[in-house]
mmCIF file of all heavy atoms in Angstrom:
data_model
loop_
_atom_site.group_PDB
_atom_site.id
_atom_site.type_symbol
_atom_site.label_atom_id
_atom_site.label_comp_id
_atom_site.label_asym_id
_atom_site.label_seq_id
_atom_site.Cartn_x
_atom_site.Cartn_y
_atom_site.Cartn_z
ATOM 1 N N VAL H 12 127.621 31.319 -53.539
ATOM 2 C CA VAL H 12 127.699 31.075 -52.036
ATOM 3 C C VAL H 12 128.340 29.771 -51.648
ATOM 4 O O VAL H 12 128.744 29.664 -50.530
ATOM 5 C CB VAL H 12 126.318 31.315 -51.410
ATOM 6 C CG1 VAL H 12 125.865 32.786 -51.514
ATOM 7 C CG2 VAL H 12 125.321 30.362 -51.904
ATOM 8 N N SER H 13 128.340 28.843 -52.511
ATOM 9 C CA SER H 13 128.974 27.575 -52.201
ATOM 10 C C SER H 13 130.454 27.669 -52.043
ATOM 11 O O SER H 13 131.033 26.900 -51.419
ATOM 12 C CB SER H 13 128.561 26.523 -53.338
ATOM 13 O OG SER H 13 129.165 26.914 -54.508
ATOM 14 N N THR H 14 131.049 28.663 -52.637
ATOM 15 C CA THR H 14 132.550 28.972 -52.512
ATOM 16 C C THR H 14 132.897 30.253 -51.787
ATOM 17 O O THR H 14 133.968 30.431 -51.596
ATOM 18 C CB THR H 14 133.233 28.882 -53.912
ATOM 19 O OG1 THR H 14 132.627 29.968 -54.616
ATOM 20 C CG2 THR H 14 132.929 27.645 -54.591
ATOM 21 N N ALA H 15 131.842 31.100 -51.428
ATOM 22 C CA ALA H 15 132.149 32.313 -50.841
ATOM 23 C C ALA H 15 132.937 32.207 -49.473
ATOM 24 O O ALA H 15 133.722 33.083 -49.150
ATOM 25 C CB ALA H 15 130.925 33.133 -50.640
ATOM 26 N N TRP H 16 132.744 31.016 -48.720
ATOM 27 C CA TRP H 16 133.439 30.998 -47.398
ATOM 28 C C TRP H 16 134.507 29.905 -47.418
ATOM 29 O O TRP H 16 134.956 29.387 -46.365
ATOM 30 C CB TRP H 16 132.393 30.563 -46.395
ATOM 31 C CG TRP H 16 131.476 31.663 -46.185
ATOM 32 C CD1 TRP H 16 130.180 31.866 -46.819
ATOM 33 C CD2 TRP H 16 131.540 32.885 -45.364
ATOM 34 N NE1 TRP H 16 129.703 33.027 -46.351
ATOM 35 C CE2 TRP H 16 130.450 33.631 -45.541
ATOM 36 C CE3 TRP H 16 132.582 33.311 -44.530
ATOM 37 C CZ2 TRP H 16 130.342 34.919 -44.936
ATOM 38 C CZ3 TRP H 16 132.432 34.542 -43.854
ATOM 39 C CH2 TRP H 16 131.275 35.262 -44.042
ATOM 40 N N THR H 17 135.000 29.563 -48.633
ATOM 41 C CA THR H 17 136.142 28.553 -48.630
ATOM 42 C C THR H 17 137.411 29.229 -48.371
ATOM 43 O O THR H 17 137.557 30.423 -48.572
ATOM 44 C CB THR H 17 136.130 27.856 -49.957
ATOM 45 O OG1 THR H 17 136.208 28.687 -51.062
ATOM 46 C CG2 THR H 17 134.811 27.019 -50.132
ATOM 47 N N ASP H 18 138.504 28.444 -48.223
ATOM 48 C CA ASP H 18 139.790 28.828 -47.989
ATOM 49 C C ASP H 18 140.402 29.346 -49.319
ATOM 50 O O ASP H 18 140.498 28.643 -50.197
ATOM 51 C CB ASP H 18 140.694 27.830 -47.401
ATOM 52 C CG ASP H 18 142.100 28.136 -47.070
ATOM 53 O OD1 ASP H 18 142.419 29.448 -47.180
ATOM 54 O OD2 ASP H 18 142.885 27.355 -46.734
ATOM 55 N N ASP H 19 140.812 30.680 -49.256
ATOM 56 C CA ASP H 19 141.408 31.227 -50.539
ATOM 57 C C ASP H 19 142.920 31.193 -50.462
ATOM 58 O O ASP H 19 143.631 31.689 -51.381
ATOM 59 C CB ASP H 19 141.004 32.632 -50.743
ATOM 60 C CG ASP H 19 141.418 33.568 -49.652
ATOM 61 O OD1 ASP H 19 142.136 33.144 -48.647
ATOM 62 O OD2 ASP H 19 141.041 34.751 -49.787
ATOM 63 N N GLY H 20 143.575 30.587 -49.429
ATOM 64 C CA GLY H 20 144.962 30.463 -49.289
ATOM 65 C C GLY H 20 145.687 31.701 -48.796
ATOM 66 O O GLY H 20 146.987 31.585 -48.634
ATOM 67 N N SER H 21 145.012 32.813 -48.578
ATOM 68 C CA SER H 21 145.643 33.972 -48.143
ATOM 69 C C SER H 21 146.224 33.875 -46.740
ATOM 70 O O SER H 21 147.041 34.734 -46.281
ATOM 71 C CB SER H 21 144.652 35.132 -48.280
ATOM 72 O OG SER H 21 143.598 35.032 -47.329
ATOM 73 N N ALA H 22 145.834 32.974 -45.957
ATOM 74 C CA ALA H 22 146.283 32.909 -44.569
ATOM 75 C C ALA H 22 147.137 31.628 -44.302
ATOM 76 O O ALA H 22 147.279 31.200 -43.225
ATOM 77 C CB ALA H 22 145.072 32.760 -43.569
ATOM 78 N N ASP H 23 147.812 31.285 -45.376
ATOM 79 C CA ASP H 23 148.713 30.021 -45.278
ATOM 80 C C ASP H 23 149.843 30.314 -44.375
ATOM 81 O O ASP H 23 150.399 29.344 -43.808
ATOM 82 C CB ASP H 23 149.062 29.452 -46.587
ATOM 83 C CG ASP H 23 149.946 30.429 -47.389
ATOM 84 O OD1 ASP H 23 150.079 31.685 -46.933
ATOM 85 O OD2 ASP H 23 150.410 29.980 -48.407
ATOM 86 N N HIS H 24 150.222 31.566 -44.024
ATOM 87 C CA HIS H 24 151.389 31.790 -43.196
ATOM 88 C C HIS H 24 150.943 31.919 -41.722
ATOM 89 O O HIS H 24 151.728 32.150 -40.896
ATOM 90 C CB HIS H 24 152.012 33.095 -43.628
ATOM 91 C CG HIS H 24 151.312 34.264 -43.610
ATOM 92 N ND1 HIS H 24 150.180 34.499 -44.431
ATOM 93 C CD2 HIS H 24 151.257 35.316 -42.694
ATOM 94 C CE1 HIS H 24 149.530 35.622 -44.132
ATOM 95 N NE2 HIS H 24 150.263 36.134 -43.075
ATOM 96 N N ARG H 25 149.553 31.878 -41.439
ATOM 97 C CA ARG H 25 149.059 31.954 -40.095
ATOM 98 C C ARG H 25 148.311 30.714 -39.721
ATOM 99 O O ARG H 25 147.938 29.940 -40.499
ATOM 100 C CB ARG H 25 148.092 33.150 -40.019
ATOM 101 C CG ARG H 25 148.725 34.396 -40.374
ATOM 102 C CD ARG H 25 147.655 35.613 -40.378
ATOM 103 N NE ARG H 25 148.283 36.731 -40.850
ATOM 104 C CZ ARG H 25 147.996 37.991 -40.321
ATOM 105 N NH1 ARG H 25 147.038 38.102 -39.559
ATOM 106 N NH2 ARG H 25 148.603 39.023 -40.797
ATOM 107 N N PHE H 26 148.131 30.623 -38.459
ATOM 108 C CA PHE H 26 147.352 29.453 -37.948
ATOM 109 C C PHE H 26 145.893 29.747 -38.077
ATOM 110 O O PHE H 26 145.508 30.901 -38.356
ATOM 111 C CB PHE H 26 147.711 29.102 -36.538
ATOM 112 C CG PHE H 26 147.371 30.070 -35.421
ATOM 113 C CD1 PHE H 26 146.105 30.009 -34.927
ATOM 114 C CD2 PHE H 26 148.189 31.117 -35.126
ATOM 115 C CE1 PHE H 26 145.664 30.961 -33.889
ATOM 116 C CE2 PHE H 26 147.908 32.040 -34.220
ATOM 117 C CZ PHE H 26 146.602 32.047 -33.604
ATOM 118 N N ARG H 27 145.146 28.675 -37.984
ATOM 119 C CA ARG H 27 143.645 28.869 -37.978
ATOM 120 C C ARG H 27 143.067 28.530 -36.651
ATOM 121 O O ARG H 27 143.496 27.623 -35.923
ATOM 122 C CB ARG H 27 142.986 27.855 -38.988
ATOM 123 C CG ARG H 27 143.819 27.940 -40.322
ATOM 124 C CD ARG H 27 143.033 28.699 -41.342
ATOM 125 N NE ARG H 27 143.875 29.154 -42.515
ATOM 126 C CZ ARG H 27 144.200 28.471 -43.513
ATOM 127 N NH1 ARG H 27 143.591 27.334 -43.653
ATOM 128 N NH2 ARG H 27 144.958 28.978 -44.471
ATOM 129 N N VAL H 28 142.040 29.285 -36.110
ATOM 130 C CA VAL H 28 141.385 28.993 -34.918
ATOM 131 C C VAL H 28 139.981 28.461 -35.291
ATOM 132 O O VAL H 28 139.301 28.976 -36.101
ATOM 133 C CB VAL H 28 141.332 30.290 -34.081
ATOM 134 C CG1 VAL H 28 140.497 30.044 -32.847
ATOM 135 C CG2 VAL H 28 142.735 30.822 -33.825
ATOM 136 N N VAL H 29 139.610 27.475 -34.552
ATOM 137 C CA VAL H 29 138.278 26.849 -34.704
ATOM 138 C C VAL H 29 137.283 27.496 -33.704
ATOM 139 O O VAL H 29 137.487 27.272 -32.481
ATOM 140 C CB VAL H 29 138.303 25.236 -34.509
ATOM 141 C CG1 VAL H 29 136.952 24.718 -34.609
ATOM 142 C CG2 VAL H 29 139.379 24.677 -35.465
ATOM 143 N N PRO H 30 136.200 28.059 -34.198
ATOM 144 C CA PRO H 30 135.171 28.629 -33.233
ATOM 145 C C PRO H 30 134.158 27.698 -32.969
ATOM 146 O O PRO H 30 133.732 26.879 -33.818
ATOM 147 C CB PRO H 30 134.659 29.858 -34.057
ATOM 148 C CG PRO H 30 134.804 29.383 -35.501
ATOM 149 C CD PRO H 30 136.056 28.524 -35.529
ATOM 150 N N ALA H 31 133.647 27.713 -31.667
ATOM 151 C CA ALA H 31 132.439 26.818 -31.295
ATOM 152 C C ALA H 31 131.592 27.643 -30.291
ATOM 153 O O ALA H 31 132.020 28.573 -29.657
ATOM 154 C CB ALA H 31 133.007 25.627 -30.576
ATOM 155 N N ALA H 32 130.339 27.226 -30.309
ATOM 156 C CA ALA H 32 129.242 27.739 -29.372
ATOM 157 C C ALA H 32 128.797 26.834 -28.533
ATOM 158 O O ALA H 32 128.658 25.543 -28.900
ATOM 159 C CB ALA H 32 128.153 28.353 -30.297
ATOM 160 N N TYR H 33 128.645 27.099 -27.164
ATOM 161 C CA TYR H 33 128.156 26.292 -26.128
ATOM 162 C C TYR H 33 126.986 26.924 -25.503
ATOM 163 O O TYR H 33 127.000 28.178 -25.232
ATOM 164 C CB TYR H 33 129.217 26.162 -25.113
ATOM 165 C CG TYR H 33 130.458 25.410 -25.483
ATOM 166 C CD1 TYR H 33 131.382 25.960 -26.243
ATOM 167 C CD2 TYR H 33 130.743 24.133 -25.014
ATOM 168 C CE1 TYR H 33 132.532 25.365 -26.752
ATOM 169 C CE2 TYR H 33 131.899 23.433 -25.402
ATOM 170 C CZ TYR H 33 132.739 24.102 -26.262
ATOM 171 O OH TYR H 33 133.939 23.371 -26.564
ATOM 172 N N VAL H 34 125.855 26.153 -25.198
ATOM 173 C CA VAL H 34 124.719 26.723 -24.622
ATOM 174 C C VAL H 34 124.449 25.983 -23.327
ATOM 175 O O VAL H 34 124.226 24.667 -23.389
ATOM 176 C CB VAL H 34 123.428 26.550 -25.612
ATOM 177 C CG1 VAL H 34 122.214 27.154 -24.904
ATOM 178 C CG2 VAL H 34 123.781 27.285 -26.844
ATOM 179 N N PHE H 35 124.431 26.665 -22.267
ATOM 180 C CA PHE H 35 123.955 26.047 -21.054
ATOM 181 C C PHE H 35 122.604 26.545 -20.721
ATOM 182 O O PHE H 35 122.331 27.674 -20.465
ATOM 183 C CB PHE H 35 124.821 26.572 -19.808
ATOM 184 C CG PHE H 35 126.312 26.011 -19.801
ATOM 185 C CD1 PHE H 35 127.376 26.883 -19.848
ATOM 186 C CD2 PHE H 35 126.637 24.734 -19.923
ATOM 187 C CE1 PHE H 35 128.729 26.432 -19.857
ATOM 188 C CE2 PHE H 35 127.801 24.143 -19.898
ATOM 189 C CZ PHE H 35 128.919 25.081 -19.915
ATOM 190 N N LEU H 36 121.526 25.606 -20.791
ATOM 191 C CA LEU H 36 120.241 25.945 -20.325
ATOM 192 C C LEU H 36 120.170 25.883 -18.815
ATOM 193 O O LEU H 36 120.789 25.112 -18.141
ATOM 194 C CB LEU H 36 119.255 24.857 -20.820
ATOM 195 C CG LEU H 36 119.086 24.844 -22.339
ATOM 196 C CD1 LEU H 36 117.845 23.834 -22.663
ATOM 197 C CD2 LEU H 36 118.827 26.191 -23.014
ATOM 198 N N ARG H 37 119.672 27.001 -18.254
ATOM 199 C CA ARG H 37 119.657 27.231 -16.747
ATOM 200 C C ARG H 37 118.149 27.417 -16.295
ATOM 201 O O ARG H 37 117.425 27.878 -17.043
ATOM 202 C CB ARG H 37 120.425 28.450 -16.450
ATOM 203 C CG ARG H 37 121.857 28.657 -17.006
ATOM 204 C CD ARG H 37 122.881 27.901 -16.161
ATOM 205 N NE ARG H 37 122.885 28.102 -14.708
ATOM 206 C CZ ARG H 37 123.524 29.167 -14.101
ATOM 207 N NH1 ARG H 37 124.307 29.916 -14.767
ATOM 208 N NH2 ARG H 37 123.449 29.220 -12.833
ATOM 209 N N ARG H 38 117.926 27.023 -15.082
ATOM 210 C CA ARG H 38 116.702 27.365 -14.468
ATOM 211 C C ARG H 38 116.933 27.652 -13.007
ATOM 212 O O ARG H 38 117.821 27.089 -12.416
ATOM 213 C CB ARG H 38 115.622 26.253 -14.630
ATOM 214 C CG ARG H 38 115.990 24.861 -14.074
ATOM 215 C CD ARG H 38 114.910 23.832 -14.424
ATOM 216 N NE ARG H 38 115.180 22.576 -13.865
ATOM 217 C CZ ARG H 38 114.510 21.411 -14.047
ATOM 218 N NH1 ARG H 38 113.645 21.436 -14.952
ATOM 219 N NH2 ARG H 38 114.873 20.299 -13.450
ATOM 220 N N ARG H 39 116.140 28.585 -12.551
ATOM 221 C CA ARG H 39 116.252 29.088 -11.165
ATOM 222 C C ARG H 39 115.588 28.111 -10.197
ATOM 223 O O ARG H 39 114.509 27.709 -10.531
ATOM 224 C CB ARG H 39 115.783 30.535 -11.012
ATOM 225 C CG ARG H 39 116.513 31.567 -11.838
ATOM 226 C CD ARG H 39 115.928 32.902 -11.732
ATOM 227 N NE ARG H 39 116.824 33.817 -12.293
ATOM 228 C CZ ARG H 39 116.955 34.153 -13.640
ATOM 229 N NH1 ARG H 39 116.157 33.429 -14.489
ATOM 230 N NH2 ARG H 39 117.689 35.006 -14.189
ATOM 231 N N VAL H 40 116.249 27.826 -9.043
ATOM 232 C CA VAL H 40 115.663 27.047 -8.071
ATOM 233 C C VAL H 40 116.024 27.748 -6.646
ATOM 234 O O VAL H 40 117.143 27.802 -6.266
ATOM 235 C CB VAL H 40 116.215 25.602 -8.087
ATOM 236 C CG1 VAL H 40 115.689 24.795 -6.885
ATOM 237 C CG2 VAL H 40 115.993 25.030 -9.409
ATOM 238 N N GLY H 41 115.024 28.255 -6.022
ATOM 239 C CA GLY H 41 115.330 28.962 -4.725
ATOM 240 C C GLY H 41 116.159 30.041 -4.885
ATOM 241 O O GLY H 41 116.236 30.808 -5.888
ATOM 242 N N ASP H 42 117.047 30.355 -3.839
ATOM 243 C CA ASP H 42 117.992 31.478 -3.850
ATOM 244 C C ASP H 42 119.449 30.967 -4.329
ATOM 245 O O ASP H 42 120.271 31.746 -4.310
ATOM 246 C CB ASP H 42 118.003 32.051 -2.440
ATOM 247 C CG ASP H 42 116.815 32.696 -1.965
ATOM 248 O OD1 ASP H 42 116.116 33.179 -2.797
ATOM 249 O OD2 ASP H 42 116.455 32.692 -0.781
ATOM 250 N N GLY H 43 119.598 29.674 -4.576
ATOM 251 C CA GLY H 43 120.871 29.269 -4.926
ATOM 252 C C GLY H 43 121.318 29.517 -6.408
ATOM 253 O O GLY H 43 120.623 30.286 -7.078
ATOM 254 N N PRO H 44 122.298 28.853 -6.868
ATOM 255 C CA PRO H 44 122.828 29.091 -8.240
ATOM 256 C C PRO H 44 121.950 28.386 -9.280
ATOM 257 O O PRO H 44 122.246 28.559 -10.508
ATOM 258 C CB PRO H 44 124.210 28.473 -8.220
ATOM 259 C CG PRO H 44 124.184 27.427 -7.172
ATOM 260 C CD PRO H 44 123.254 27.983 -6.135
ATOM 261 N N GLY H 45 120.861 27.648 -8.850
ATOM 262 C CA GLY H 45 120.007 27.063 -9.869
ATOM 263 C C GLY H 45 120.471 25.738 -10.387
ATOM 264 O O GLY H 45 121.364 25.088 -9.819
ATOM 265 N N GLU H 46 119.888 25.422 -11.539
ATOM 266 C CA GLU H 46 120.284 24.164 -12.162
ATOM 267 C C GLU H 46 120.807 24.405 -13.696
ATOM 268 O O GLU H 46 120.434 25.453 -14.191
ATOM 269 C CB GLU H 46 119.089 23.157 -12.190
ATOM 270 C CG GLU H 46 118.733 22.780 -10.871
ATOM 271 C CD GLU H 46 117.513 21.730 -10.811
ATOM 272 O OE1 GLU H 46 116.602 21.983 -11.730
ATOM 273 O OE2 GLU H 46 117.421 20.907 -9.928
#
Side-chain angles (χ1 to χ4, degrees):
V12 294
S13 67
T14 61
W16 294 95
T17 59
D18 183 4
D19 66 0
S21 64
D23 61 353
H24 65 288
R25 298 179 185 211
F26 66 90
R27 311 258 160 92
V28 176
V29 179
Y33 295 72
V34 180
F35 292 125
L36 294 188
R37 307 277 310 271
R38 61 186 184 189
R39 291 175 175 84
V40 178
D42 293 331
E46 295 180 329

